[in-house]
Amino acid sequence: MTQTHKVLPPNSVIGIVGGGQLGRMSAMAAAKLGFRAHILTQGAQDPAAQVAHAVTLGAYDDIRALEAFACAVDVVTFEFENISANALDQLASYCPVRPSGRILRISQDRLAEKTFLTDAGVPVAPWHAVTDKVSLYAAAEKLGLPLILKTTRNGYDGKGQRRVYELGELEQAFAELAPHPLVAEAMVDFACELSVMVARGVDGTIRCFDTVQNRHWHGILDLTLAPAPIMDDIAATASALAAKVARQLGLKGIMGVEMFLGRDGQIMVNEIAPRPHNSGHWTMDACPQDQFDMHIRAVAGLPLPQATRHSDAVMKNLVGPEDMALWPQILATPGQIPHLYGKAEAREGRKMGHVNVLFPHGGLPGEHGVQAALGPLATKTAAPYVMDETAF
């Protein structure tokens, strides 16, 4: 097949906006593929800056910093959503930006995201835009109680949302959450959260990693189980939905698609994240090409290999001082593959790294086997992850 797009040659420069751990691991993947990574960030000691070929220090809306950065790279990508889409538009006047500023605008605003998914025919939980007290009570009438009120921007790891159980709590929750507008969502009776990492190349090729299950603790991802212990047809439906979203967006790069699996077997898309994602970290040790490799290949215009898995895996996040205090035991535990992010201070709730534990392909054990393999990192989430498949 004749290629109709430009493939970046070795030693080209991948510009990454953002200096966090996702940028760090993307930069390392770029180096393996023969590229150089140039980071735009605000801190010289940020995780990504520690491993990059070059760094531009500046705010993400600083025109001078953006121009200097853009003139030094061949393509631009980003590692988190809380940046200026206008800044990406500025960068796009110099070189390709993948994913695009349009996709960023959709993903960083819950109202735009829900509207896009609904218009694209992608199943989502019932929702209602909330701009004032009139629409607040209209949402309660339409969705029923309890419901969840969410900010449209800057919500992550459980932040920016309130559960409302009674009518008398509505106005207080509305007042506490800012800025407005908000999004109200119906409470879903779900069995678990699923996610799929989907990559789409410049040529339109789509690759989906296996559907995984996510378990959270205090709103922060705690464990990812790969593959998800669900029936094959449900996993296939999740992959098909992720591919549909990527195609409808015109994605170039990788994206995490988070979903709810209802107890009735129905899947609803919850959020999209057009970048590498925490729930894809298991791929770093369980796949020949991981999510970061796939992302760099996609933004550089390279062919995308199949997203295959040679092992089952459990990914455990290392969060805050409590988990980091276990570092000596982690290093001494056979079978645990640690990844640290280079962050100086282990603050409460801060993701400091993760550990992957591998199992033979098709050999993901039950709950007790997972907890035994985690050893000192045995999780606080006590509910078993193996669901009753008779529900589906």
Side-chain angles (χ1 to χ4, degrees), residues 339-363:
H339 300 264
L340 281 191
Y341 303 152
K343 297 179 180 179
E345 183 183 356
R347 297 194 297 267
E348 194 69 31
R350 192 183 198 192
K351 294 172 184 173
M352 301 299 295
H354 68 272
V355 166
N356 285 331
V357 180
L358 301 184
F359 304 91
H361 192 282

Side-chain angles (χ1 to χ4, degrees), residues 200-211:
R200 183 174 181 271
V202 174
D203 63 355
T205 299
I206 291 179
R207 305 296 190 204
C208 291
F209 287 97
D210 288 309
T211 303

Side-chain angles (χ1 to χ4, degrees), residues 112-199:
E113 182 181 59
K114 296 293 184 188
T115 300
F116 165 79
L117 292 171
T118 300
D119 290 347
V122 174
V124 296
W127 63 280
H128 196 284
V130 175
T131 57
D132 52 25
K133 291 183 180 179
V134 173
S135 55
L136 177 68
Y137 283 98
E141 182 176 355
K142 174 185 175 182
L143 303 175
L145 295 177
L147 57 75
I148 304 177
L149 276 180
K150 298 181 178 181
T151 57
T152 57
R153 290 178 174 266
N154 301 323
Y156 63 95
D157 290 345
K159 298 177 175 63
Q161 55 185 265
R162 298 283 188 280
R163 296 191 179 197
V164 178
Y165 295 92
E166 298 178 1
L167 280 176
E169 301 170 349
L170 274 175
E171 292 193 20
Q172 181 179 351
F174 180 76
E176 288 177 351
L177 292 173
H180 299 152
L182 307 177
V183 171
E185 292 182 13
M187 295 276 281
V188 176
D189 183 19
F190 68 93
C192 67
E193 180 187 285
L194 305 175
S195 64
V196 176
M197 298 305 305
V198 55

